[in-house]
Amino acid sequence: MYKNKRPLFLLLCLLIGLWSCSKPVENPPNIVLIMADDIGFSDIGSYGSEISTPHIDRLATEGLRFRTFYNMAKCNPTRSSLLTGLYTGGNGAVHLAQVTKQAGYFNIMSGKEHFDDWVPAYCKAENVFDRSFHFWATTEYFRPPSGEFERPFYLQGQKLSADDIEHETSPMYKTDFITDYALKWLDEAFSNNAPFFLYLPYHAAHFPLQARPEDIKKYRGKYLQGWDKLRQRRYKKMQQLQVLPENAKLSPPEKNRNTQRLPLVATYNDYYPWEGLSQEQKDSLDLEMSVYAAMVDRMDKNIGRVLEKLAKNGKLENTLILFLSDNGACPFYTNKIKDVQPGPANSYWSLRTTWANLSNTPFRQYKQSGHEGGGHTPFIAHWPKVIAPGTFTDQPGHVVDLMPTVLDILGATYPKKIKEYPTLPLHGSSLLPIFKGKERSTPEYFISGLENFRMFRSGDYKIVKLNGGVWELYNLRDDPTELKNLAALYPETVKQLAEKYEEQTAGPYPDPHDPGQLD
């Protein structure tokens, strides 16, 4: 188990087993936690994209943008760490919604649930949320020709048929009806006159690439200039937006070397210059990225629906809204249904390496990887009463920091027991000082990436593996995009960090991260 480095006051609170070691906060804020899926660092307009995301951009320009924020580089480990504050654990883990529930919050979840095996059953949606609509891992966006989705949906823990999913717009589309359920339950939260926690983990823009025709049409032709030129344009826009350190250079085109995932079903699945393609290939690839962009666009529209709902009901001012992605873009192109282009309900494409490289501008590598392209994605915090608008921070954060942040905001402390189990010590620390424009004590370390692609960062230095290889070493202060491997120059630093990593990860719990899963 990853070792804990919490402050003394928290350990004292743990010993006496109290939920709160201070008076409850008066007029506690509502909390809305929004998570995108497989969206890279530059895929949001306010982080450099050409994709239209005005509602997310509003949160950014009226709030705080992190230049460095880490997740676990894959769907299930990120969700597991985000909601428990643990890199890994087991019985004794506490779900974030269990903390807010104890503080009197009305808890709502609508979206994707996907955990590692170590997350206890008592942390599942139906056991911690007052209202929940969820699905496990990958499902289609439209109801497919077969009549059912690949995996079932659940309402309050009960399996829900496709016919019974409530939706305002036909044909039904997942991003829309996820929001429909959330808005319905927000009305209930407003009537309760209690603070609420809304967890909104969208599936967009995870494969399969499916989108409404009108959304796809908006982007058709915009990607005919190709990934090489678009990557340069995004990089320049990112520099103008100041979402990158001044010394961050654009990494060269990156090939997908995650060979344990091969062979991939593809005719062109790795990096190649755009100009060498035929017009027919360019048109097909333009459509592929247009569908991806349409999915991000549709998610943003739905976030706009949530913001409008909060504003109309006078809740926006006292609501902390957090937006993030679970990992970088996915390069594992596949096409399950031949001779069907991406977009409609009977298609089943995923994005390929070259477009994923665009999404992760300016970084190297992709989903699963501990390199910055895998676990370094946008993080936006919007809270009008606390966070100064239009601000940025260079202080790094991690998804394990969310649990201690909520505890800090609520004036609560971590419980001594959950069910019959002693609770596991948290691995993160509060982001509230950063929200308030202050410096927090930098965590001793950050971890991301799957086991064969693990990264361990301590201070400015970071070690990282690629597909089970030897440790690479980078100084992220001097080299934010990992262009110069320093391992041969500083072998002692590599050794010290590797030993520190082994020390922090030693314990009774095996690493649960399975690189063989695609979801």
Side-chain angles (χ1 to χ4, degrees), residues 341-467:
Q341 292 288 297
N346 64 332
S347 67
Y348 209 103
W349 285 50
S350 59
L351 208 65
R352 69 193 65 230
T353 304
T354 39
W355 286 132
N357 197 209
L358 170 67
S359 294
N360 296 337
T361 304
F363 300 124
R364 294 178 51 207
Q365 283 296 313
Y366 314 92
K367 174 180 179 176
Q368 295 194 4
S369 176
H371 287 81
E372 297 293 284
H376 182 161
T377 52
F379 185 76
I380 297 168
H382 180 277
W383 189 6
K385 285 192 172 183
V386 175
I387 295 173
T391 50
F392 296 84
T393 181
D394 288 312
Q395 298 181 67
H398 194 288
V399 291
V400 294
D401 295 330
L402 265 292
M403 171 70 90
T405 300
V406 171
L407 289 168
D408 198 3
I409 289 170
L410 299 183
T413 192
Y414 198 53
K416 183 178 180 180
K417 285 188 175 182
I418 183 72
K419 304 299 180 181
E420 69 272 26
Y421 306 107
T423 54
L424 301 175
L426 294 174
H427 295 139
S429 60
S430 176
L431 299 169
L432 185 57
I434 302 177
F435 292 172
K436 292 181 176 181
K438 301 176 182 178
E439 293 286 323
R440 74 162 177 167
S441 297
T442 302
E444 186 178 349
Y445 63 91
F446 298 103
I447 296 174
S448 184
L450 302 191
E451 180 61 29
N452 283 344
F453 300 86
R454 183 71 78 216
M455 81 83 154
F456 182 82
R457 175 175 176 175
S458 183
D460 294 330
Y461 282 97
K462 166 184 171 179
I463 52 172
V464 60
K465 292 181 179 180
L466 185 59
N467 201 24

Side-chain angles (χ1 to χ4, degrees), residues 150-167:
E150 181 185 352
R151 290 189 174 99
F153 289 77
Y154 295 89
L155 182 65
Q156 302 293 100
Q158 300 299 311
K159 189 174 178 180
L160 195 65
S161 73
D163 287 335
D164 293 328
I165 295 175
E166 297 179 33
H167 56 283

Side-chain angles (χ1 to χ4, degrees), residues 256-301:
N256 176 20
R257 291 184 281 156
N258 296 3
T259 54
Q260 97 282 3
R261 298 300 305 275
L262 300 176
L264 300 174
V265 182
T267 53
Y268 31 89
N269 65 356
D270 216 326
Y271 176 76
Y272 36 88
W274 178 266
E275 295 307 321
L277 300 174
S278 68
Q279 284 304 122
E280 183 180 5
Q281 286 177 316
K282 288 179 180 179
D283 183 70
S284 174
L285 290 164
D286 171 75
L287 174 60
E288 182 180 306
M289 191 62 189
S290 294
V291 177
Y292 179 88
M295 295 168 74
V296 177
D297 187 304
R298 175 62 54 170
M299 179 186 65
D300 182 79
K301 286 184 175 72

